């Protein structure tokens, strides 16, 4: 499918790029729809392309050597993902699966060097993206090493609401299907623990749950749980 330049012109990733350069870049991209539940790529597969999410949400998971699945991150519209070449590896480190019907643009991985060298602004933004992901990973590692479970879960829910929240009724609904198992994987705890915490928060009126749904009702109270000394 053809890519409407207006869909990407205002994305932070392409901010300050000259229109001609952006047009050339997008002319080399191919776009396709990914139905909910389908994968863009699988962990361990040869990295043949890198991608930009135009619409929807993706969940990136990784299976550890002992067979445990971990949810690594959520890909949001405007995010580059799958750029294994920038990480100096030949394969994808995780599996990217559509949480909702999504649209992705892709370029051959062999184009990565040319794209970066010919678009300095894009190169800087891509490096910033990598830096942000490293920072997010370090934050999660620090939280798992130093914080009790309730604080970690509160941080994770607040981050999801900030990145993928939509005002709805009396709260902020996370706008893609999110399960308690997802949150457990993101915070390094068990499904039982997350279920107990969310049920307790629901009883206190802090959140509203449902089947793969989560709405933050009292973000201030969750923030106090996440950072009691804040």
């Amino acid at each position: 499918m053809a890519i409407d330049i207006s869909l990407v012109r205002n994305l932070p990733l392409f901010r300050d790029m000259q229109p001609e350069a952006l047009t050339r870049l997008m002319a080399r991209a191919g776009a396709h729809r990914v139905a909910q539940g389908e994968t863009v790529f699988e962990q361990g597969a040869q990295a043949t392309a890198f991608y930009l999410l135009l619409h929807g949400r993706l969940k990136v998971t990784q299976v550890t050597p002992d067979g445990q699945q971990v949810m690594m991150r959520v890909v949001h519209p405007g995010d580059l993902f799958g750029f294994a070449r920038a990480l100096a590896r030949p394969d994808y480190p995780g599996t990217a699966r559509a949480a909702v019907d999504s649209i992705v643009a892709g370029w051959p991985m062999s184009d990565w060097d040319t794209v970066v060298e010919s678009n300095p602004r894009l190169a800087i933004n891509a490096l910033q993206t990598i830096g942000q992901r490293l920072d997010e990973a370090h934050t999660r590692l620090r939280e798992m090493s130093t914080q009790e479970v309730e604080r970690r879960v509160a941080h994770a829910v607040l981050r999801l609401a900030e990145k993928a929240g939509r005002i709805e009724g009396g709260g902020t609904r996370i706008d893609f299907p999110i399960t308690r198992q997802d949150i457990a994987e993101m915070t390094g705890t068990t499904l039982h623990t997350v279920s107990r915490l969310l049920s307790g928060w629901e009883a206190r009126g802090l959140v509203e749950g449902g089947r793969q749904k989560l709405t933050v009702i009292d973000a201030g109270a969750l923030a106090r749980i996440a950072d009691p000394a804040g």
Side-chain angles (χ1 to χ4, degrees):
M1 60 184 293
I3 300 173
D4 184 347
I5 295 295
S6 66
L7 291 175
V8 301
R9 183 180 295 120
N10 295 319
L11 293 176
L13 184 66
F14 301 116
R15 190 173 295 149
D16 300 329
M17 277 190 70
Q18 293 299 317
E20 298 81 4
L22 179 58
T23 298
R24 288 195 301 271
L25 175 66
M26 299 313 297
R28 294 187 60 82
H32 64 280
R33 299 181 184 277
V34 186
Q36 182 178 6
E38 290 184 352
T39 61
V40 180
F41 52 75
E42 301 274 356
Q43 179 177 344
Q46 182 178 359
T48 58
F50 63 97
Y51 302 92
L52 169 71
L53 182 62
L54 297 175
H55 173 78
R57 308 277 177 185
L58 307 175
K59 296 177 182 178
V60 179
T61 58
Q62 192 175 83
V63 177
T64 65
D66 62 359
Q68 181 180 357
Q69 179 173 287
V70 179
M71 183 169 163
M72 303 302 296
R73 62 186 294 263
V74 176
V75 181
H76 304 282
D79 285 354
L80 274 177
F81 65 102
F83 44 87
R85 188 176 182 89
L87 304 177
R89 59 181 302 156
D91 62 336
Y92 295 114
T95 296
R97 189 181 306 276
V100 295
D101 292 346
S102 302
I103 300 175
V104 301
W107 293 262
M109 191 66 73
S110 57
D111 279 9
W112 176 261
D113 290 345
T114 300
V115 166
V116 170
E117 290 169 4
S118 61
N119 298 279
R121 185 69 248 177
L122 177 61
I124 292 171
N125 288 347
L127 286 173
Q128 290 174 340
T129 297
I130 295 172
Q132 288 169 358
R133 292 182 192 175
L134 285 173
D135 185 59
E136 290 170 3
H138 290 160
T139 296
R140 288 175 60 181
L141 180 60
R142 182 177 66 252
E143 289 173 358
M144 285 190 283
S145 300
T146 64
Q147 294 182 2
E148 61 185 24
V149 173
E150 186 173 30
R151 291 185 62 191
R152 300 203 306 264
V153 174
H155 275 297
V157 170
L158 288 170
R159 280 194 290 266
L160 287 169
E162 179 184 2
K163 290 275 192 177
R166 182 177 64 197
I167 301 301
E168 187 174 283
T172 302
R173 178 179 171 181
I174 296 168
D175 73 354
F176 66 93
I178 185 76
T179 67
R180 295 183 174 190
Q181 180 63 41
D182 290 335
I183 296 173
E185 292 176 12
M186 294 173 71
T187 55
T189 188
T190 64
L191 174 60
H192 172 77
T193 298
V194 170
S195 296
R196 175 177 55 81
L197 288 171
L198 291 181
S199 294
W201 292 350
E202 284 190 67
R204 294 163 57 186
L206 308 187
V207 300
E208 285 184 1
R211 189 175 181 275
Q212 299 190 31
K213 296 180 181 178
L214 186 62
T215 300
V216 175
I217 303 299
D218 191 341
L222 281 185
R224 288 190 290 274
I225 292 172
D227 294 298

